[in-house]
């Protein structure tokens, strides 16, 4: 079974721009969670989508948004980029039916650099 | 709110030796799950081992085992017969057993394996 895939793997943007990252979950998984990893703050939960609906949300400003499509692929968007948005963005997938009982499987991440 | 603490920012071990990474957590939940994830330089987050809080038996996966002390809220990872490929950042993570898909991570421990 193919694992979680994320595109692009690397991205360079300038302040004020917006960016869209994509995540395709493991086949059969319907839940996608997004995390931001920075050296200062570590790994922080952004949000989780299931069946095209956001079910859980972390403590991030409204510039961070996401969506999920009917095939379970998910995108996250960051508008009006700031230098502090430079990070590794990881997504993880699960079947989505048993909450914390399910193990989350991660993709390779998208490294975003904001100049 | 749950917190996860990894008190060892860095650890080193000789190849073929044993090393233990520490993790403590704080929660008022009774139903929860604990994980150790490994993040090598490739940045892919890989599941190492998982422990259900309701299970008294410590989880093992080949050379990896945990010492789960529920009363002390401690969850350490033991790596036996360390190999060069074990070198990575190791993250301890917590999730409650409800419908919340938010993993809470520790800051990580960087493990170096010396030949």
């Amino acid at each position: 079974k193919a694992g979680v895939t994320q595109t692009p793997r690397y991205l360079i943007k300038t302040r004020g721009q917006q960016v869209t990252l994509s995540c395709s979950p493991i086949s059969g998984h319907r839940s996608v969670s997004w995390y931001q990893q920075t050296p200062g703050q570590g790994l922080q939960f952004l949000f989780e989508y299931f069946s095209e609906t956001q079910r859980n949300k972390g403590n991030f400003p409204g510039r961070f948004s996401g969506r999920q499509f009917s095939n379970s692929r998910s995108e996250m968007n960051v508008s009006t980029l700031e230098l502090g948005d430079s990070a590794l963005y990881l997504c993880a997938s699960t079947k989505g039916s048993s909450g914390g009982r399910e193990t989350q499987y991660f993709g390779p991440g998208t490294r975003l650099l904001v100049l | 709110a749950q917190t996860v603490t990894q008190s060892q920012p860095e650890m080193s071990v000789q190849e073929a030796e044993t090393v233990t990474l520490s993790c403590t957590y704080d929660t008022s939940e009774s139903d929860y799950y604990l994980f150790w994830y490994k993040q090598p330089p490739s940045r892919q987050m890989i599941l190492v081992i998982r422990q259900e809080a309701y299970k008294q038996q410590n989880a093992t996966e080949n050379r990896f085992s945990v010492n789960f002390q529920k009363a002390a809220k401690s969850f350490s990872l033991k790596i036996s017969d360390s190999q060069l490929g074990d070198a990575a950042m190791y993250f301890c993570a917590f999730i409650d057993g409800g419908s919340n898909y938010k993993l809470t991570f520790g800051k990580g421990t960087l493990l170096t394996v010396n030949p």
Side-chain angles (χ1 to χ4, degrees):
Chain A
K1 223 183 221 185
V4 178
T5 58
Q6 291 187 245
T7 56
R9 293 294 308 278
Y10 303 93
L11 211 46
I12 300 175
K13 292 286 187 179
T14 56
R15 275 180 299 174
Q17 287 187 310
Q18 74 164 12
V19 67
T20 299
L21 312 181
S22 180
C23 173
S24 292
I26 292 170
S27 178
H29 285 191
R30 297 171 60 196
S31 168
V32 174
S33 297
W34 289 88
Y35 295 84
Q36 182 196 63
Q37 185 177 19
T38 61
Q41 299 299 316
L43 282 145
Q44 297 184 89
F45 174 80
L46 281 154
F47 31 63
E48 182 255 350
Y49 284 85
F50 176 82
S51 198
E52 302 179 65
T53 301
Q54 186 183 88
R55 285 194 302 193
N56 296 276
K57 188 176 188 303
N59 188 25
F60 277 80
R63 299 186 297 106
F64 292 81
S65 62
R67 61 177 175 168
Q68 187 179 37
F69 302 93
S70 59
N71 63 356
S72 297
R73 186 177 70 87
S74 177
E75 289 181 347
M76 68 162 281
N77 183 275
V78 188
S79 63
T80 319
L81 284 166
E82 301 177 359
L83 295 179
D85 297 333
S86 295
L88 180 69
Y89 290 88
L90 295 163
C91 75
S93 77
T94 71
K95 290 182 180 178
S97 55
S98 301
R101 294 170 180 75
E102 301 175 35
T103 296
Q104 294 187 24
Y105 296 93
F106 284 82
T110 293
R111 181 167 293 283
L112 172 64
L113 177 61
V114 182
L115 301 176
Chain B
Q2 290 84 9
T3 60
V4 177
T5 302
Q6 293 180 248
S7 59
Q8 307 151 316
E10 295 184 31
M11 292 279 287
S12 65
V13 63
Q14 291 296 125
E15 201 175 359
E17 297 292 306
T18 295
V19 65
T20 298
L21 309 184
S22 301
C23 172
T24 58
Y25 59 95
D26 189 26
T27 184
S28 57
E29 301 286 340
S30 57
D31 179 22
Y32 56 88
Y33 299 78
L34 297 162
F35 304 85
W36 279 98
Y37 281 93
K38 166 186 175 182
Q39 189 178 42
S42 68
R43 312 303 283 176
Q44 174 101 39
M45 195 76 79
I46 301 165
L47 175 70
V48 175
I49 200 163
R50 160 194 164 111
Q51 175 78 45
E52 295 87 348
Y54 63 83
K55 287 188 177 179
Q56 291 189 335
Q57 187 173 5
N58 290 323
T60 62
E61 284 290 342
N62 301 312
R63 299 182 294 107
F64 299 88
S65 62
V66 298
N67 183 2
F68 174 46
Q69 300 290 326
K70 192 171 183 178
K73 294 181 180 175
S74 170
F75 182 60
S76 61
L77 174 70
K78 186 172 85 169
I79 306 174
S80 304
D81 185 26
S82 297
Q83 300 176 1
L84 295 177
D86 295 333
M89 184 72 87
Y90 286 80
F91 292 95
C92 177
F94 168 102
I95 194 168
D96 67 59
S99 58
N100 186 346
Y101 282 78
K102 173 188 172 184
L103 276 166
T104 299
F105 287 89
K107 292 292 188 185
T109 296
L110 180 62
L111 177 66
T112 302
V113 181
N114 301 308

